[in-house]
């Protein structure tokens, strides 16, 4: 299998394996346990994930919308899990057809694998044969420490990427954020739009999401927007964060053929074209709607901005 990694060959490591879409509270608990086990064994904690998402290969007929890009996923693992290193496996039909034993044998041949941390419902390999019982037998054979953690729940709701996607699709971003353990986010490079926002008095930074990306339900949101500057390692570490009113959707008064994300940054006038920004959605204000006149639209936009100020 092909992979990219920050780990050197045969460096002693402990890993956790999964898609980790969103890096939610359950994932974060795995990462914290991973760090604890790695410290105990004198190893480096490493997140092993897949690109693309495994379901895109295993079930290509089922539309999949992801909460995070690979770059965002790894950045969130650093920020909320304290795990700096990764192995990113290129997920192909050939990798999907591997048995759990084949997959782990290849990892052991390439890396100094000393342990695994997984959730109790974890499974790996063709036909999901590599469940926790298999991992424990495999670990006993090869001297690997295997830890299986109970699934995370919040007020009786199981924390899962599937549950969070459902909330996001409905625009319920505050509930989604509770399960995520951080705000829903979206990063991208600012592109030129039609400049109508500037003519209306509300210039926006526009990003075009990838086709696979799950966006919150069309509407207006209060958000924080971080701006990447030259010399920064990534936008996640940017100290330049601004209050923002964000429109997600097709702009009924000036219809777009595809969903857009347009962020109006309050109290600043910046040239953001070509820069990467990070949008953190904080609260949903209202649905997208069509107005009878441009003046009515501008009045509502001004009201939205004032509501953003109150929220943030």
């Amino acid at each position: 299998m092909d992979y990219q990694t920050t780990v050197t060959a045969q460096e002693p490591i402990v890993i956790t394996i999964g898609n980790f879409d969103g890096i939610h509270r359950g994932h974060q608990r795995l990462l914290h346990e991973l760090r604890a086990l790695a410290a105990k064994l004198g190893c480096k904690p490493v997140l092993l994930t897949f690109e693309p998402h495994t379901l895109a290969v295993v079930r290509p007929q089922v539309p999949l919308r992801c909460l995070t890009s690979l770059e965002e996923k790894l950045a969130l693992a650093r920020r909320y899990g304290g795990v700096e290193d990764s192995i990113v496996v290129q997920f192909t039909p050939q990798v999907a057809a591997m048995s759990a034993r084949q997959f782990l044998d290849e990892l052991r041949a390439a890396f100094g694998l000393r342990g695994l941390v997984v959730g109790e419902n974890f499974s790996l390999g063709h036909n999901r044969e590599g469940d926790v019982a298999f991992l424990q037998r495999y670990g006993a054979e090869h001297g690997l420490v295997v830890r299986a953690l109970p699934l995370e729940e919040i007020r009786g709701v199981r924390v899962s990427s599937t549950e969070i996607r459902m909330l996001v699709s409905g625009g319920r971003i505050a509930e989604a954020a509770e399960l995520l353990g951080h705000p829903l986010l979206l990063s991208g490079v600012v592109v030129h739009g039609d400049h109508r926002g500037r003519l209306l008095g509300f210039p926006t930074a526009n990003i075009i999401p990838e086709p696979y990306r799950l966006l919150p339900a069309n509407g207006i949101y209060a958000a924080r927007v971080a701006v990447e500057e030259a010399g920064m390692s990534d936008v996640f570490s940017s100290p330049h964060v601004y209050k923002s009113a964000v429109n997600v959707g097709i702009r009924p008064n000036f219809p777009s053929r595809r969903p857009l994300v347009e962020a109006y940054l309050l109290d600043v006038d910046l040239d953001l074209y070509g820069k990467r920004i990070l949008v953190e959605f904080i609260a949903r204000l209202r649905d997208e709607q069509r107005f009878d006149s441009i003046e009515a639209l501008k009045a509502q936009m001004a009201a939205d901005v004032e509501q953003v100020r109150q929220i943030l």
Side-chain angles (χ1 to χ4, degrees):
M1 61 190 176
D2 294 326
Y3 56 84
Q4 293 181 320
T5 185
T6 60
V7 182
T8 57
Q10 297 307 317
E11 184 176 9
I13 62 173
V14 175
I15 65 173
T16 185
I17 304 174
N19 285 300
F20 297 108
D21 188 26
I23 304 290
H24 57 56
R25 287 187 186 273
H27 297 145
Q28 291 167 38
R29 184 179 177 191
L30 282 175
L31 294 172
H32 295 150
E33 182 64 26
L34 178 73
R35 290 176 59 204
L37 180 59
K40 182 177 180 180
L41 298 179
C43 298
K44 178 175 283 187
V46 178
L47 178 145
L48 187 151
T49 192
F50 304 97
E51 180 68 9
H53 194 291
T54 56
L55 289 179
V57 174
V58 175
R59 285 192 247 161
Q61 73 281 6
V62 179
L64 175 67
R65 294 290 180 266
C66 293
L67 297 164
T68 42
S69 67
L70 175 63
E71 178 187 27
E72 292 164 353
K73 186 188 306 183
L74 298 180
L76 288 169
R78 291 191 294 269
R79 179 186 285 187
Y80 294 102
V83 174
E84 299 283 340
D85 289 279
S86 61
I87 301 168
V88 180
V89 174
Q90 191 67 31
F91 199 72
T92 63
Q94 291 74 30
V95 174
M98 293 174 71
S99 69
R101 183 171 295 275
Q102 283 177 299
F103 187 86
L104 292 172
D105 284 349
E106 284 211 23
L107 283 181
R108 287 180 47 250
F111 301 100
L113 187 59
R114 299 290 184 269
L116 295 97
V117 177
V118 297
E120 63 184 7
N121 66 338
F122 177 83
S123 61
L124 173 73
H126 187 59
N127 291 330
R128 303 176 65 87
E129 63 188 1
D131 59 10
V132 169
F134 168 85
L135 293 180
Q136 290 172 337
R137 292 194 301 271
Y138 187 93
E141 289 175 28
H142 299 284
L144 307 178
V145 177
V146 176
R147 296 267 173 86
L149 303 186
L151 301 180
E152 194 80 0
E153 289 191 358
I154 296 178
R155 289 198 289 275
V157 176
R158 178 178 293 181
V159 179
S160 72
S161 299
T162 301
E163 178 69 21
I164 294 166
R165 290 189 198 107
M166 183 188 71
L167 293 171
V168 170
S169 295
R172 297 159 63 186
I173 59 166
E175 294 169 72
E178 185 176 19
L179 300 188
L180 283 165
H182 56 80
L184 177 71
L185 56 83
L186 174 70
S187 63
V189 174
V190 177
V191 299
H192 284 276
D194 52 24
H195 302 282
R196 279 202 181 91
R198 187 167 294 279
L199 294 175
L200 293 170
F202 298 91
T204 58
N206 302 340
I207 55 180
I208 300 176
E210 303 92 338
Y212 66 81
R213 191 56 178 260
L214 177 67
L215 297 176
N218 289 0
I220 313 301
Y221 294 85
R224 296 189 182 93
V225 174
V227 179
E228 186 175 12
E229 299 291 348
M232 290 181 184
S233 58
D234 60 54
V235 69
F236 290 84
S237 59
S238 174
H240 307 299
V241 181
Y242 305 94
K243 299 180 181 72
S244 180
V246 176
N247 184 82
V248 176
I250 60 169
R251 304 176 311 186
N253 278 77
F254 309 105
S256 167
R257 288 175 295 176
R258 56 183 171 181
L260 299 174
V261 177
E262 304 172 297
Y264 170 65
L265 279 57
L266 278 60
D267 306 320
V268 292
D269 186 9
L270 305 173
D271 181 3
L272 298 178
Y273 295 118
K275 291 186 177 181
R276 182 170 291 276
I277 64 173
L278 174 70
V279 180
E280 292 188 331
F281 295 92
I282 304 302
R284 179 177 169 85
L285 274 59
R286 61 178 176 85
D287 290 341
E288 231 187 356
Q289 63 188 95
R290 191 180 190 285
F291 293 88
D292 293 333
S293 69
I294 299 303
E295 291 308 312
L297 170 61
K298 290 169 66 174
Q300 182 60 59
M301 291 169 73
D304 293 338
V305 167
E306 288 310 307
Q307 192 175 353
V308 168
R309 289 189 194 281
Q310 293 174 20
I311 291 170
L312 299 182

